[in-house]
Each structure stands twice: as C-alpha cells, then as structure tokens.
C-alpha cells in the first residue's frame, strides 16, 4: 500500500490561481531608451544583471533587453556606436500584468521563447520582471 498525501482543496486552488504578482522579481536596473547599446552593456555589467528594463522619456516601460541580445547586436556587421536601445526594441512589449495567472504567463513566455517578461501596471510603469527559474 502506498500512502498519498492529499492537500486540502483550498491549497490546490490557490496553486492554480497564483498570479504573476506572487512570483515576479524586483524591477532591477531601468534605463532610458535613448541609451546606446555600448553604454547599456556597461550598465548591465556594473549591475551584474542579465537584463535591463527600458523606459521612454515619460518613464513608461517600452521593453526588456538581455545581455545576449545586446552582445549579438554589437557583434553584428551593421553595428555602429550610435545604435540606441529604442532602435533595437522596435515595437513596445511584450508585457504582462501582475494580475495575470502564472499559467497564462508561462504559456506566453514559452510560446514567444522568452526568458524574462516585464510586469507593468495599468499606466505602463514597470513593477518588476517575471523570469524563468534557472
């Protein structure tokens, strides 16, 4: 006979309805989108961060860049020292809300092959980052 430990229904329901707000990390380093790629890599190295949240002149989150992305751009044949983060990001996003369920966020990250996803409030200000566990 094998013993099975059962969890009360309320515990299982809470696990299913866990939100991004429960799992997100602090926002970490935020930089302006007019920063150059080279300076952003320097900031990332100084902060010992694997990613940076990028904001526009109004302080609204426009996206997230990773060290791997910036290094690939810098090493590309079209790179100049004038390339700015806004040139790299293109369109805004993707983002998630703190109220999104973890299941929905994990599905979106898997579908888009993302390691990290900015979490923003209703106005578009960065609240944190949802990152895959390493």
């Amino acid at each position: 006979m094998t013993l099975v430990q059962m969890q009360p229904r309320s515990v299982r329901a809470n696990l299913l309805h866990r939100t991004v707000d429960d799992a997100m990390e602090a926002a970490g380093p935020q930089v302006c989108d007019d920063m150059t790629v080279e300076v952003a890599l320097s900031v990332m190295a100084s902060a010992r961060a694997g990613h940076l949240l990028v904001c526009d002149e109004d302080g609204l989150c426009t996206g997230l860049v990773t060290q791997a992305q910036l290094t690939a751009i810098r090493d590309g044949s079209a790179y100049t020292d004038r390339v700015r983060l806004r040139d790299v990001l293109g369109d805004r996003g993707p983002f998630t809300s703190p109220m999104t369920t973890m299941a929905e966020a994990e599905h979106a990250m898997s579908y888009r092959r993302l390691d990290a996803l900015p979490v923003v409030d209703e106005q578009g200000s960065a609240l944190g980052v949802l990152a895959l566990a390493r």
Side-chain angles (χ1 to χ4, degrees):
M1 177 195 292
T2 304
L3 294 176
V4 177
Q5 184 176 0
M6 300 296 290
Q7 294 178 344
R9 183 172 172 82
S10 62
V11 172
R12 282 183 279 146
N14 286 339
L15 291 175
L16 293 174
H17 298 293
R18 190 169 171 223
T19 64
V20 168
D21 190 45
D22 299 325
M24 71 180 181
E25 301 170 3
Q30 295 183 35
V31 296
C32 192
D33 65 357
D34 67 348
M35 181 178 283
T36 65
V37 168
E38 199 64 40
V39 173
L41 281 166
S42 178
V43 167
M44 207 176 288
S46 296
R48 297 179 185 196
H51 61 266
L52 295 172
L53 286 172
V54 182
C55 299
D56 64 13
E57 63 275 356
D58 296 322
L60 301 179
C61 186
T62 57
L64 180 141
V65 292
T66 65
Q67 184 175 11
Q69 287 173 312
L70 296 181
T71 301
I73 290 164
R74 184 191 60 199
D75 295 344
S77 61
Y79 176 76
T80 70
D81 61 355
R82 293 186 180 166
V83 176
R84 302 199 180 278
L85 295 178
R86 71 171 59 112
D87 303 328
V88 173
L89 285 175
D91 296 335
R92 286 180 55 110
F95 308 104
T96 193
S97 160
M99 301 313 294
T100 303
T101 66
M102 283 300 297
E104 292 170 324
E106 288 173 355
H107 176 74
M109 290 175 74
S110 173
Y111 179 76
R112 294 181 181 208
R113 295 187 174 118
L114 301 172
D115 291 334
L117 191 61
V119 181
V120 298
D121 64 14
E122 297 83 25
Q123 290 77 37
S125 297
L127 299 174
V129 174
L130 182 64
L132 293 177
R134 304 257 175 218

